[in-house]
Amino acid sequence: AELQDPFSVGATGNTGKIEGNDLRNFLRDKLIRTFVKKAGTSSTGYQIREAISRYDSNKDGSMSKIELRKALNGLGLSVDDDTLGILIELYQGDEIGSAEYSKFVEDIDPTAFNYAFCAGLCASSGTFEKIEKESVVSHLDPVEKIRNMLKAALRVRKKKDGMTSVIKEIQQYGDEEGNLTAESFRAALLRLGLKIDRSDNVKQAYAAFTTPEGVMDVWNFARMAEADFERIPQAGDKKFSPREKKMRGKTAASAKEKNEEKMEEKKVIGASTVVEVKPFG
């Protein structure tokens, strides 16, 4: 399908070019038809995210002209440089000269993403449609609360999109050592259908899943993201110093060893006979 087909959207003029909203409407109509046919157990939004994000070669959540051309070619759409320039302007993000692929995907399917940190629904400007509003994550929030918020949003997306494994979706975003930067972490969340617009929220979320050394491993993140919800510390909880935590850990390990020794004393004498001494009567 060529985008330079004025009859596809009823455009008029001598140039035969589709521009502005006509171009946007053409793409939306074309891709919705394509992905509605493909969608099976997975949602339409998931199908579109998967098809577009695979061409984000540097895994930063944005698409250069080259990446966008490859993505559209992969979807069966041939575009020229002028049309690419128009698309970049339509979906441009913070980085000049590149398009935010999340904006492009949302234009096709507005339900393709949820905020990782959602403050609820609010009315869309000029319409009665309800849209999500991003909440502000405070630096005072416990990391357990931040992780729980992201886990809750992820569970919603997994159920809606039919995703079975987080690591399967985001393994490609890790570097040679499997680590994620804040930028590739944000892009990995987009792949999972979670978006974070506020840069401060990205920093807080990234810090909540990193090691004490400030490193985020893609495998460890996937494990933590799919784990059970964590207990959030309360104001009345006793706080332990690092030394006290270490001592408590040693004490717990020692108690575990003693318990195992007692269990061994009750065990088998011989090959498989379990002997327990019981009082008479």
Side-chain angles (χ1 to χ4, degrees):
E2 290 283 340
L3 294 189
Q4 293 84 354
D5 178 4
F7 300 103
S8 297
V9 292
T12 59
N14 298 324
T15 62
K17 296 281 186 178
I18 306 172
E19 299 181 358
N21 286 329
D22 285 335
L23 175 59
R24 176 180 286 168
N25 292 335
F26 172 82
L27 279 172
R28 185 188 294 119
D29 181 68
K30 171 70 177 175
L31 296 178
I32 285 176
R33 289 174 184 270
T34 299
F35 286 105
V36 165
K37 290 179 181 178
K38 288 184 177 181
T41 56
S42 300
S43 68
T44 303
Y46 174 85
Q47 296 282 348
I48 301 171
R49 290 199 318 265
E50 194 274 335
I52 301 296
S53 65
R54 70 175 67 173
Y55 295 99
D56 180 15
S57 57
N58 59 350
K59 309 304 177 190
D60 63 351
S62 63
M63 306 196 79
S64 64
K65 274 190 175 183
I66 295 175
E67 291 172 331
L68 185 56
R69 184 193 295 277
K70 289 181 178 178
L72 292 172
N73 287 345
L75 296 172
L77 298 171
S78 177
V79 295
D80 59 19
D81 287 338
D82 291 340
T83 305
L84 280 174
I86 295 170
L87 289 172
I88 293 293
E89 289 181 7
L90 284 173
Y91 301 107
Q92 184 169 287
D94 296 331
E95 187 177 341
I96 298 174
S98 64
E100 287 280 350
Y101 91 74
S102 59
K103 292 182 179 180
F104 180 70
V105 171
E106 277 188 312
D107 210 17
I108 303 166
D109 182 2
T111 66
F113 297 96
N114 289 99
Y115 276 117
F117 306 110
C118 180
L121 300 176
C122 63
S124 177
S125 177
T127 70
F128 291 104
E129 183 184 356
K130 295 289 186 179
I131 60 173
E132 282 189 341
K133 180 180 179 181
E134 185 176 16
S135 64
V136 179
V137 179
S138 171
H139 68 280
L140 298 177
D141 287 335
V143 293
E144 293 85 358
K145 178 181 178 181
I146 296 173
R147 289 197 290 259
N148 283 350
M149 291 171 69
L150 193 144
K151 288 177 185 180
L154 179 59
R155 290 187 180 189
V156 172
R157 284 303 334 174
K158 286 183 69 178
K159 183 177 180 180
K160 183 172 185 177
D161 295 334
M163 290 186 289
T164 57
S165 169
V166 170
I167 190 61
K168 179 181 176 182
E169 302 292 337
I170 67 170
Q171 185 177 354
Q172 59 185 311
Y173 289 87
D175 61 18
E176 293 179 354
E177 296 180 350
N179 295 330
L180 294 168
T181 63
E183 190 176 60
S184 59
F185 167 65
R186 179 176 175 272
L189 290 180
L190 288 175
R191 182 69 180 81
L192 295 170
L194 299 178
K195 63 179 181 178
I196 305 179
D197 289 340
R198 296 175 179 271
S199 58
D200 285 346
N201 282 1
V202 175
K203 293 177 183 177
Q204 296 296 334
Y206 184 75
F209 286 93
T210 56
T211 64
E213 293 74 31
V215 177
M216 180 188 287
D217 175 84
V218 65
W219 292 88
N220 192 47
F221 167 73
R223 179 186 60 79
M224 294 176 71
E226 293 184 306
D228 292 335
F229 291 114
E230 303 169 58
R231 180 184 180 278
I232 299 174
Q234 303 300 313
D237 290 349
K238 182 178 179 181
K239 295 182 180 180
F240 298 97
S241 66
R243 183 181 177 185
E244 287 177 317
K245 289 181 180 179
K246 187 176 181 180
M247 292 300 296
R248 285 169 63 86
K250 288 183 178 179
T251 302
S254 177
K256 183 179 179 181
E257 288 178 2
K258 289 181 179 179
N259 188 49
E260 289 176 350
E261 288 176 1
K262 288 181 179 180
M263 293 297 293
E264 287 294 327
E265 289 176 359
K266 287 183 178 180
K267 269 192 175 181
V268 189
I269 296 177
S272 59
T273 307
V274 177
V275 177
E276 289 191 18
V277 179
K278 294 183 179 180
F280 289 101

